[in-house]
């Protein structure tokens, strides 16, 4: 097991499998396994689920939590570098959960950190612990990971998708992409599909919002946002048997009329986040020297 989780590739297939198995054991538990440890959550970009599920996970393991959810109140607003901030936070904590707007920030942090760094989203880069909870949810709902998955939306900028694609491929999943206008996956080895075909043929529809904060061009953003939508009618017209997933937050790309269907699993994903992040914290801290 790696010291840091900056990318899904730090874990590899065996690391992912191991963490999913630890999570299954921790489901619903409250322990003091990490009593005496301090987790620092340093969030330079907005977050609801990721920060609070990491913090809930730490509390459920008996750890203390320090951190910030808005970097405007920290010395980065005075011009402090990420590297200096990370060095300092390592003196106050045993593990750093980092979200940052720069792609590659987690790797930069890990290169100077004395404590394990967990990437909680780095710009349009990766979001490896979201992938763990996505896989955990798929396995819990469908009993296996070698399923057919339709990836829908802003696949160019979605860091959740960038971590999810290689992991699903390791476990034998069959992938198709249904990108929003001009927002294909950066790496071209996943075949394209239409939305209706994906709804009819996939076991999982994984929907993502257009990542507004990554656009310079407001017109391109609006065009992308208007180019797709998953709703009840799409699912019913195409006889879809898929579960519908979304890392959240959703905007208009996923209609609220899906919420009451048994297919809707996005709030289950958010709930599973605590269990999976407990597995991450416990494994990294119990294995770190
Ligand atoms: C995602 C993120 O921050 O990348 N949210 C999350 O962590 N669940 C997805 C998004 O913001 O669209």
């Amino acid at each position: 097991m790696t010291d840091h989780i900056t990318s899904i590739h730090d874990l590899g297939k065996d690391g992912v499998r191991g963490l999913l198995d630890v999570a299954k054991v921790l489901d619903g538990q409250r322990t003091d396994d990490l009593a005496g440890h301090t987790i620092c959550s340093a969030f330079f970009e907005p977050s609801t689920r990721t920060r609070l599920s990491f913090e809930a996970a730490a509390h459920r393991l008996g750890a203390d939590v320090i951190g910030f959810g808005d970097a405007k109140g920290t010395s980065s607003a005075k011009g402090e570098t990420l590297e200096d901030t990370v060095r300092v936070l390592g003196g106050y904590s045993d593990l750093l959960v980092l979200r940052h707007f720069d792609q590659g920030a987690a790797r930069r942090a890990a290169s100077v950190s004395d404590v394990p760094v967990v990437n909680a989203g780095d710009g349009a880069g990766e979001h490896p612990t979201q992938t763990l909870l996505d896989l955990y949810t798929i396995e819990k709902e469908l009993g296996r990971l070698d399923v057919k998955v339709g990836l829908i939306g802003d696949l160019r900028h979605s860091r959740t998708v960038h971590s999810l694609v290689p992991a699903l491929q390791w476990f034998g999943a069959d992938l198709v992409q249904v990108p929003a206008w001009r927002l294909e996956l950066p790496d071209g080895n996943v075949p394209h599909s239409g939305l209706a075909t994906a709804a009819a043929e996939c076991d999982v529809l994984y929907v993502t919002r257009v990542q507004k904060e990554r656009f310079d061009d407001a017109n391109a953003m609006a065009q992308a946002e208007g180019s797709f939508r998953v709703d009840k009618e799409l699912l019913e017209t195409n006889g879809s048997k898929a579960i519908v997933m979304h890392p959240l937050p959703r905007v208009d790309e996923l209609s609220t009329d899906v919420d009451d269907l048994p297919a809707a699993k996005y709030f289950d994903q958010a709930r599973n986040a605590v269990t999976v992040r407990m597995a991450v914290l416990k494994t990294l801290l119990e294995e770190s020297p």
Side-chain angles (χ1 to χ4, degrees):
M1 183 72 192
T2 159
D3 288 346
H4 305 285
I5 305 178
T6 63
S7 156
I8 199 70
H9 294 279
D10 290 345
L11 293 173
K13 183 180 180 186
D14 292 347
V16 169
R17 182 69 268 162
L19 286 169
L20 296 179
D21 292 341
V22 173
K24 277 187 199 156
V25 177
L26 290 171
D27 203 342
Q29 288 208 24
R30 202 174 267 277
T31 75
D32 57 4
D33 290 351
L34 295 186
H37 287 91
T38 303
I39 310 297
C40 179
S41 65
F43 278 63
F44 290 83
E45 258 197 346
S47 169
T48 302
R49 279 149 290 271
T50 305
R51 183 167 68 87
L52 295 177
S53 62
F54 261 114
E55 295 190 3
H59 288 300
R60 283 203 201 169
L61 292 165
D64 299 323
V65 179
I66 60 169
F68 54 87
D70 183 353
K72 284 205 270 311
T74 73
S75 285
S76 74
K78 302 179 188 169
E80 184 169 55
T81 64
L82 173 66
E83 284 79 357
D84 282 0
T85 304
V86 166
R87 284 192 186 97
V88 170
L89 296 178
Y92 306 151
S93 62
D94 304 298
L95 183 146
L96 179 61
V97 179
L98 177 72
R99 170 166 291 187
H100 200 276
F101 43 83
D102 278 342
Q103 189 165 341
R107 208 175 294 280
R108 276 168 51 208
S111 73
V112 297
S113 180
D114 292 332
V115 301
V117 173
V118 179
N119 182 3
D122 62 323
E126 285 208 42
H127 195 348
T129 65
Q130 176 73 38
T131 291
L132 294 170
L133 73 91
D134 293 340
L135 297 181
Y136 186 84
T137 304
I138 294 172
E139 199 165 53
K140 193 167 175 177
E141 298 299 331
L142 302 179
R144 60 200 179 93
L145 293 173
D146 57 344
V147 292
K148 181 156 184 173
V149 182
L151 303 161
I152 300 167
D154 183 352
L155 309 181
R156 184 196 295 175
H157 301 112
S158 286
R159 53 198 177 196
T160 67
V161 170
H162 301 165
S163 294
L164 184 61
V165 165
L168 281 170
Q169 289 172 331
W170 296 333
F171 290 98
D174 182 11
L175 305 182
V176 292
Q177 60 173 314
V178 189
W181 186 73
R182 293 194 174 165
L183 296 175
E184 289 79 11
L185 277 171
D187 145 12
N189 68 0
V190 174
H192 286 242
S193 169
L195 199 49
T197 310
E201 293 180 357
C202 289
D203 305 302
V204 177
L205 297 175
Y206 189 94
V207 189
T208 60
R209 75 183 167 95
V210 172
Q211 305 277 302
K212 289 182 206 249
E213 60 275 46
R214 318 276 176 233
F215 280 77
D216 298 326
D217 177 348
N219 289 334
M221 189 196 77
Q223 187 132 0
E225 278 192 321
S227 69
F228 71 107
R229 184 171 161 88
V230 172
D231 59 13
K232 186 174 175 181
E233 190 188 341
L234 171 85
L235 302 176
E236 289 185 349
T237 316
N238 294 288
S240 178
K241 305 239 178 331
I243 59 168
V244 179
M245 296 178 64
H246 192 305
L248 303 176
R250 71 167 145 193
V251 194
D252 294 324
E253 69 286 344
L254 174 57
S255 170
T256 53
D257 69 7
V258 177
D259 296 1
D260 293 332
L261 302 179
K265 298 298 174 197
Y266 25 96
F267 294 113
D268 301 272
Q269 276 169 275
R271 203 166 307 112
N272 292 335
V274 178
T275 303
V276 169
R277 289 180 169 134
M278 285 170 78
V280 168
L281 297 177
K282 183 172 153 69
T283 303
L284 282 176
L285 282 171
E286 289 184 345
E287 287 182 7
S288 80

